[in-house]
Structure formats: C-alpha cells, structure tokens
Amino acid sequence: MTDPVPNLGNDATATLFDAIDFAVENAETTESGFVPFVLAVLPDGEKVATRYVDSEENFTVEGSVALARQDLATADPVPRHVALAWDGFLTLDEDRTEAVFVDAYEQGRPEGVRFAQRYHRTSDGLEMIGNPLLLGHRPEPMLPHPAGPGQAADGRVAAIARIQAMVDERKRR
C-alpha cells in the first residue's frame, strides 16, 4: 500500500488538505487574493498558522510566498511537516482559471508536493472545478535538516531519507 499522497505520510496529507480547505475559504472572502499562509505541525504536535506579507505598502503574492519559504528554510524548531498556501491562476490546456496552490513538505522526505484546487467565482461564492490536482513534486525540501545533541544532521537525515525511499519503493510494488 502506498501513501495517499506521494512523499507525504497520513498526518502531513491531512495538513495538506486542511491547508487547501482553509485556502478556499480565504479565496472566497476576497477577490484580490488572500495573504499567503503556512500551516505547520511542530515537533510537540502543536499546530500553528502564520501569514506572510512581504510589504505593507506594496503587497505581492510572489514576494510573500518567497518570504514564507525563506522563513521555513531557517525554522527553529523544525516542524514535522508544513503546507504553504497562496491564491493565483492556473492554466491547463489553454484554459486559465483561478486556483489556490499548496506546497507541502514532510521532514525527512526527499521532496515535497504541489497541489492546486481550481475554482470559478459565482454570485453565490466559489464553485470548485474538480478535485485538488497534484501538479508535481518539489525537489527541494522546504525545511532545514534538524540537528540535535550529538547528531550529525546531514548524515542522519540522508540515512532517514534513504530508508524512507526504500520503504516507499516497497509500498509501490
């Protein structure tokens, strides 16, 4: 049996879909795009949400997402898993629609994933177009390697990633 979402365990998958749901709720409240946010689950299991604004005077989604990525790359403590969400447009086969995007990453996995949920605005709110789409994998981890007392972070994390890859490969068979 494989994980429900490639590169994410069950808890990280639940956080991914919580982020998609929350992003859709945010998209419904404003037509100009919502402030990007991160949902994170910390090592002790605490769930936190953080919004990112690159500039109070000249807010941009791109700059705010970049700021969130920068913050995640140096997170301390290192979360178990994270989901970064923003609002934008998706073009598939020359069909351009509004969509919420979520990049999700679980600590120790070799890569994360990107999902999108397309929607149309109607007089009654948002109408979803299909189910969330897996757009692809994000090869770079969104979190730093954790380091603890007496722990060689790079070697241990690399070993965990190799073991996880072997487990994932066996599950696919």
Side-chain angles (χ1 to χ4, degrees):
M1 181 157 99
T2 61
D3 290 332
V5 172
N7 294 314
L8 298 180
N10 290 334
D11 290 343
T13 297
T15 299
L16 162 72
F17 285 106
D18 287 347
I20 291 171
D21 291 344
F22 189 53
V24 167
E25 289 174 23
N26 279 253
E28 194 163 21
T29 64
T30 178
E31 290 186 30
S32 61
F34 60 84
V35 174
F37 64 86
V38 168
L39 297 183
V41 176
L42 301 180
D44 64 2
E46 179 185 4
K47 295 178 182 178
V48 296
T50 307
R51 296 233 182 231
Y52 289 88
V53 176
D54 63 338
S55 170
E56 292 290 334
E57 298 81 34
N58 193 20
F59 164 79
T60 65
V61 171
E62 296 82 7
S64 298
V65 168
L67 180 63
R69 287 188 191 289
Q70 181 181 3
D71 190 46
L72 290 172
T74 60
D76 186 24
V78 178
R80 291 181 191 171
H81 51 268
V82 296
L84 166 60
W86 69 96
D87 199 9
F89 292 91
L90 179 63
T91 302
L92 293 174
D93 299 326
E94 299 183 25
D95 182 28
R96 185 173 192 246
T97 60
E98 289 185 90
V100 296
F101 297 86
V102 177
D103 282 356
Y105 178 72
E106 182 173 11
Q107 185 59 49
R109 298 288 181 135
E111 57 190 18
V113 294
R114 174 171 288 167
F115 270 75
Q117 173 61 63
R118 299 177 302 150
Y119 63 86
H120 284 297
R121 292 190 183 278
T122 69
S123 58
D124 296 328
L126 299 184
E127 179 182 311
M128 297 305 108
I129 302 170
N131 293 320
L133 300 168
L134 173 61
L135 295 181
H137 300 281
R138 299 211 30 100
E140 72 281 352
M142 290 171 44
L143 298 169
H145 297 300
Q151 176 181 349
D154 290 336
R156 183 173 171 106
V157 169
I160 291 170
R162 284 193 304 274
I163 292 167
Q164 185 63 54
M166 289 185 331
V167 168
D168 291 346
E169 180 59 33
R170 285 191 180 146
K171 286 180 180 178
R172 281 185 273 241
R173 292 183 194 172

